Structure formats: C-alpha cells, structure tokens
Amino acid sequence: HSVEKIRHLALSEIEERRKVIKEELNAELSQKSSTRQILAESISLVGTGLVERDIESRLVILALISQEHVLFIGPPGTSKSMLGRRLSQLCGGPFFQRLFTKFTTPDEIFGPLSLKALENDQYVRCIEGFLPTATVAFLDEIFKANSAILNTLLTILNERQFDNGAGTRRVDCPLKCVIGASNELPESEELDALLDRFLLRAQVSPVSDEGLLELLSSKPSKEDELVNSERNYSDGLDEVFRNISESLPSIEMNQNIGILMKDIRAFVTDTLGQYVSDRRLIKAARLLRVSAATHGRKQVDTIDVLLLQHMLWTYPQQRDALREFIIDNLTPNNDIVDQSKFLLQGLAAEALTIVKKTMGDVTGESGAREDDLDAIKSIVTELREIKGLLEQHSNGLERHIALLDDLGYNNIWITSDESQSVKQSCLPLAVAASTTVSEVLNNAATLILALSSGVTDDDVRSSVIENLMENSEDISTMFSDEELHMSLKEAKRIFKGDELKKWKKARKSMS
C-alpha cells in the first residue's frame, strides 16, 4: 500500500511536469505565422501546374530564404529551368539563364569587356544583364564550365562578389539563389569545389506513368501565365529573409543534434565512401536553424535533420541509403535509460542498507547517526541528478512525438508522402522509448520520495524500498532464453530461494 501511494505521488508529479511541457510546445506549434503562410504560398505558386515536382518546389524556396544554391540532376525537359524562372518572378530582380558548353566564354557569363575602359588600359566588364547583377540565375549543364570561368564563378557563388577590374574593383552581387542543372555529375576533380557550393541537391526524373496521365490531361497554358499574380511576393519574401536572419543567432542546437549530425557524417564517409567538407556541415547546420526558424521554433529538432537527405549525398543513388539511415536514427536513443536503471539499482541497494541501520529514520529524530544521514542525503542528491537527466530525455521524446504528429500538417519543407512514411517508421519507436523512460523516471522519483521525511512511516520505509527494488528490477535480462524455456523441474534443480522466485517471475512475464 505504501509503495502504491508513493508511486502515485511520483506519477502525479511527472504528469504535472509533462502537462506543462505539452502546453508550452502546443503554444509554440500553434502560433499563427505570416512567415509560414508566405512560404507555403510561394511553394504552391512555384509548383503550380507541375506534376511530381513537390520536393523541387520546396527546395528552391528553402534555398532562396537560406541564401543557398540548389542543384538538379536529371535529363532535359523535366521543368528545371521553369522552376528557376518562377523563382525569379517571385522574388523580383533580374533573372540570368545560360546553357554552358565547353566553349562557353567568360563574356557570356560575366559580361563583355568594356571597349571604352580598354582605351584607358582598364580591364572592366559591362556586367549589366549578366550573372554579377542577377538576383536569381539558372545555369544549365553547369559542370561544363571551363577553368577560365570556374574561379570567378566560385567567388560569386560563395562570396556574392565579382572582381571587375584586375581585383581592384570588387562588386557586391545581389544574387540570392543559383539553380544549377546537369544531366550528370562531374568526373573531374577540379569541379568538386563547384559541386560543393550547391548545398541542396535533388535528382529530377521524368514523371511516372501515373503522373504522365495527369500531365497529359492538364489544360495547356503558357508557362508565364501560371505564375502571374497580383500579389507582390518580393517584399514578403525579403521580410521573411530579414526576420529569419535576425532570429538565427537565438536558435539553439542541442548536443543531441550535433551527435546525430556526427553519426550521419560518419555513415556518409565510412559506408557511402564520400567526403563531407567542414564548410558543407557548417552550412547544413545553418540551414537546419533556418528550418526551425521558419516554423517559429526556438531550437533545432530532429525533424529538421530530415533535410540532410537533400544535402549530404554525392551521387543520386546514395540518397535512399542516406534517407534510411537518418530515419532509423531520428528517434533519440535510450542509452541514458539503461545507464540509469543500473545506477538506480545500486543506489537503491545502498539506501536499503543504510535505512535498515537507521530503522527507517532519515531525519535524525529517532537517533540516526550523522554519517548515515549524510550518506542518505548524498544518495538523494545523486538520485535527483539522474531524475533531472531522465526528465530532460523524456521532454525531448515528448517533443519529438508531438513534432511527428504535427509533421503532415504544418511542416513546410517535408512533403505529405514523406511525412506519412516518417511517422510510420518513427512514431512507434518514439512512443515505446517514451514509455520506457517514463517507467524509469517514475522509479527514480519514487525512490526519492521513499527517502524523504513525511511521505511514509519509518517502520515500513525499508520494506517500501525492497518492494520498489523488486518491482523495478529488470529480471528478464538475468536469464538466458534457454533458461527461460526450461521446465519448472529443471529450474528447481538449478535455482534456489530468491533466484528461483525471480526465474518464475521472469518466466511469467514472457506469457
């Protein structure tokens, strides 16, 4: 009866804390955000009339507000350039488009040399209407860029600056996003640096047979008509970018996200055999903060890490393996729970020994020795530390579950099909992990209460702790499968006393 009473008190305390956490998270997730509305409308507008281009539409908008570049790998005629033109119309400003060949000259990309400047012995280009003055650019077959173009192109992509005049006149470029396209990835190592500048990547395939029926049955219209809109999205997107940029320094990235990113990089390096540069990881971490900020969250969550499937592969065929690894590791592991179980068993045994010596006295009012009371205080301190770590882990799991539930409704960057797939894979694991950590957390809270004055009578305190130890002990791990499947007669021959009782309890728990 005393154990049940204490467990109920501990459970009430845990449930009250969990209720507060859920209320805070629900308030955070339910905030009406003009940012989300503008971004959702922008994605819809970019993808209007396009079939099976939901991912690509989201990536170009994400690239735009992150001030990053996106690479599309795929055959001609798959709407890649259309996405670029629509993005340009959304954000306003000049649009630059070029098809690279091995014969493409710098004049075609950066502008022709100024003849007037040459008369004054100055090497200056007329850049108006070319890449250095573009807001959005679509560069087709970009990996055919030759060495005469490459270095200058890298500077524009990375630094948004153009050296116009032998390095003496560095011009700031208004470039917000470049959409690169190619039928294939580069084979030359000198183009690896160019590939690395494109943080977001997607393989764009021809529409499926089902999609083809939708495509053929749609009414034909001019491409530009699909994006004509009386609303000015340029100002709205500029404001979104400013707000997000201002909020990024305050977006937290907890250690568990860093560990997950480290594990993903190890997988890409060791299993996929691909190098991931430090620059790429830093940019990826920033983009995860952007994802959190666009949803009004104050921290990067594991849900955001799903976006790494669009950033860390080199060859398109690697994306599925990368995605599977990310999903398999998305739910926070329960290592801390296993460690806590072990520590709690040791502390409970230590507490029981002392409480038996003091006859249940934990205050000194019944004559308990000072050193025994100090030992109890020390045990309670350790228990509170364990409880705090378990609470932190439990809070993370509850948040993870809530975000999984919310995934298909309010997440801007994850498609509905992807949301369903992720929920089916991760939600059962997350719920099971949350149940397990709640049980161990309850044991820790119960043991703290059992060692506190005024909660239970001194004369039954040791019995309460013994009962708690027995109920919280993971006896199923004490016996092998072979031992658990032996007959009662065989068990009686091998196990005696308390050990036989534990075997019977473990055997019963199997049924």
Side-chain angles (χ1 to χ4, degrees):
H1 177 72
S2 297
V3 172
E4 291 304 316
K5 173 187 172 184
I6 295 174
R7 278 197 179 278
H8 181 72
L9 288 173
L11 186 60
S12 299
E13 177 189 328
I14 292 170
E15 288 300 325
E16 188 62 32
R17 174 192 56 80
R18 185 174 292 168
K19 181 180 177 182
V20 172
I21 294 295
K22 284 185 176 180
E23 287 176 353
E24 291 176 352
L25 181 57
N26 288 335
E28 185 179 347
L29 294 178
S30 62
Q31 286 180 354
K32 298 296 182 183
S33 170
S34 59
T35 294
R36 269 188 282 185
Q37 181 180 350
I38 290 173
L39 292 176
E41 289 178 1
S42 299
I43 291 168
S44 177
L45 204 55
V46 166
T48 298
L50 301 181
V51 178
E52 297 179 356
R53 295 294 175 260
D54 194 6
I55 293 175
E56 292 81 0
S57 299
R58 294 171 193 268
L59 290 184
V60 294
I61 299 298
L62 179 57
L64 177 70
I65 63 166
S66 304
Q67 300 282 278
E68 292 293 346
H69 311 300
V70 58
L71 175 67
F72 291 145
I73 305 293
T78 49
S79 307
K80 299 189 293 294
S81 62
M82 190 187 299
L83 288 166
R85 287 193 296 275
R86 291 184 174 185
L87 185 65
S88 174
Q89 290 186 26
L90 271 181
C91 64
F95 175 63
F96 180 80
Q97 179 175 350
R98 281 295 184 275
L99 171 65
F100 281 79
T101 71
K102 60 182 178 180
F103 303 110
T104 301
T105 65
D107 291 5
E108 297 175 68
I109 308 301
F110 311 118
L113 290 173
S114 170
L115 298 178
K116 190 173 182 179
L118 283 175
E119 291 176 358
N120 298 319
D121 295 328
Q122 293 181 334
Y123 192 87
V124 178
R125 293 187 181 276
C126 300
I127 60 176
E128 196 64 36
F130 292 86
L131 181 59
T133 59
T135 301
V136 173
F138 178 76
L139 304 181
D140 203 0
E141 294 302 329
I142 190 170
F143 296 119
K144 291 182 179 177
N146 54 54
S147 57
I149 295 172
L150 194 57
N151 288 338
T152 304
L153 181 58
L154 289 174
T155 302
I156 292 177
L157 291 176
N158 198 47
E159 302 175 30
R160 264 67 171 194
Q161 291 187 324
F162 173 69
D163 291 321
N164 195 10
T168 59
R169 299 181 183 179
R170 181 159 269 210
V171 178
D172 290 329
C173 301
L175 191 64
K176 294 180 178 179
C177 176
V178 169
I179 298 176
S182 178
N183 292 333
E184 57 190 6
L185 287 166
E187 296 180 0
S188 171
E189 290 185 2
E190 69 177 4
L191 293 171
D192 286 349
L194 179 58
L195 174 62
D196 199 52
R197 293 304 192 276
F198 290 89
L199 180 61
L200 291 163
R201 301 168 180 179
Q203 183 179 24
V204 185
S205 304
V207 296
S208 64
D209 290 343
E210 294 79 8
L212 185 60
L213 294 177
E214 180 184 348
L215 184 66
L216 295 175
S217 62
S218 61
K219 294 181 179 180
S221 60
K222 294 180 181 179
E223 293 176 1
D224 290 342
E225 290 180 353
L226 295 175
V227 294
N228 282 343
S229 174
E230 295 179 359
R231 179 170 178 178
N232 182 1
Y233 281 84
S234 175
D235 293 341
L237 288 170
D238 286 343
E239 183 180 355
V240 166
F241 172 71
R242 285 193 298 271
N243 292 340
I244 289 173
S245 298
E246 290 173 1
S247 66
L248 286 186
S250 63
I251 303 294
E252 295 183 7
M253 180 174 284
N254 297 326
Q255 188 180 34
N256 64 312
I257 302 296
I259 293 172
L260 181 54
M261 290 186 69
K262 176 179 70 69
D263 292 342
I264 293 171
R265 183 177 71 165
F267 172 78
V268 173
T269 302
D270 299 338
T271 304
L272 300 183
Q274 299 300 320
Y275 169 69
V276 180
S277 68
D278 293 344
R279 173 178 56 221
R280 189 164 203 78
L281 277 180
I282 292 171
K283 283 180 172 288
R286 181 183 179 277
L287 191 138
L288 297 188
R289 284 188 167 91
V290 170
S291 174
T294 55
H295 293 95
R297 290 186 266 112
K298 299 176 183 178
Q299 68 179 59
V300 175
D301 288 286
T302 50
I303 293 300
D304 300 307
V305 178
L306 282 168
L307 293 175
L308 292 181
Q309 66 179 293
H310 303 299
M311 290 183 258
L312 299 185
W313 55 263
T314 301
Y315 298 100
Q317 59 267 30
Q318 296 171 340
R319 183 201 169 239
D320 287 344
L322 174 60
R323 173 184 175 275
E324 185 177 342
F325 180 84
I326 292 173
I327 291 176
D328 287 346
N329 291 273
L330 209 60
T331 299
N333 67 59
N334 260 7
D335 290 348
I336 188 173
V337 176
D338 295 333
Q339 297 168 7
S340 298
K341 282 182 180 180
F342 177 78
L343 292 173
L344 286 175
Q345 283 293 323
L347 290 171
E350 187 179 348
L352 180 60
T353 301
I354 298 171
V355 166
K356 283 183 175 180
K357 285 171 60 179
T358 65
M359 304 296 290
D361 181 13
V362 294
T363 62
E365 294 178 0
S366 298
R369 294 169 50 192
E370 195 67 31
D371 55 344
D372 288 332
L373 296 177
D374 289 342
I376 290 174
K377 289 179 182 177
S378 178
I379 290 172
V380 171
T381 299
E382 289 188 58
L383 288 171
R384 292 190 188 281
E385 290 177 358
I386 294 171
K387 179 171 173 278
L389 292 173
L390 289 170
E391 284 176 341
Q392 186 177 356
H393 184 59
S394 178
N395 293 347
L397 282 169
E398 289 299 321
R399 184 180 179 91
H400 180 60
I401 290 170
L403 289 172
L404 284 172
D405 280 331
D406 190 63
L407 193 57
Y409 304 101
N410 293 314
N411 196 290
I412 306 168
W413 311 120
I414 308 298
T415 67
S416 57
D417 289 344
E418 177 80 345
S419 298
Q420 285 301 115
S421 176
V422 171
K423 287 173 71 171
Q424 288 176 4
S425 298
C426 296
L427 202 54
L429 292 175
V431 171
S434 179
T435 301
T436 301
V437 72
S438 294
E439 292 173 356
V440 181
L441 179 57
N442 183 263
N443 289 339
T446 302
L447 188 54
I448 290 171
L449 290 173
L451 294 173
S452 303
S453 60
V455 179
T456 188
D457 296 333
D458 291 352
D459 57 347
V460 296
R461 197 181 303 277
S462 60
S463 299
V464 169
I465 297 174
E466 282 181 332
N467 194 294
L468 175 64
M469 289 176 63
E470 182 179 344
N471 289 332
S472 63
E473 191 174 29
D474 189 3
I475 57 175
S476 63
T477 60
M478 294 181 176
F479 305 96
S480 66
D481 288 340
E482 185 179 348
E483 289 172 334
L484 289 172
H485 286 88
M486 65 175 56
S487 66
L488 177 60
K489 184 177 180 180
E490 290 176 305
K492 285 182 177 179
R493 192 173 67 251
I494 299 173
F495 306 120
K496 305 296 180 184
D498 289 341
E499 199 173 21
L500 181 61
K501 290 180 182 179
K502 290 178 180 178
W503 177 87
K504 290 180 179 179
K505 189 173 181 179
R507 177 71 178 271
K508 186 177 180 181
S509 68
M510 290 175 56
S511 57

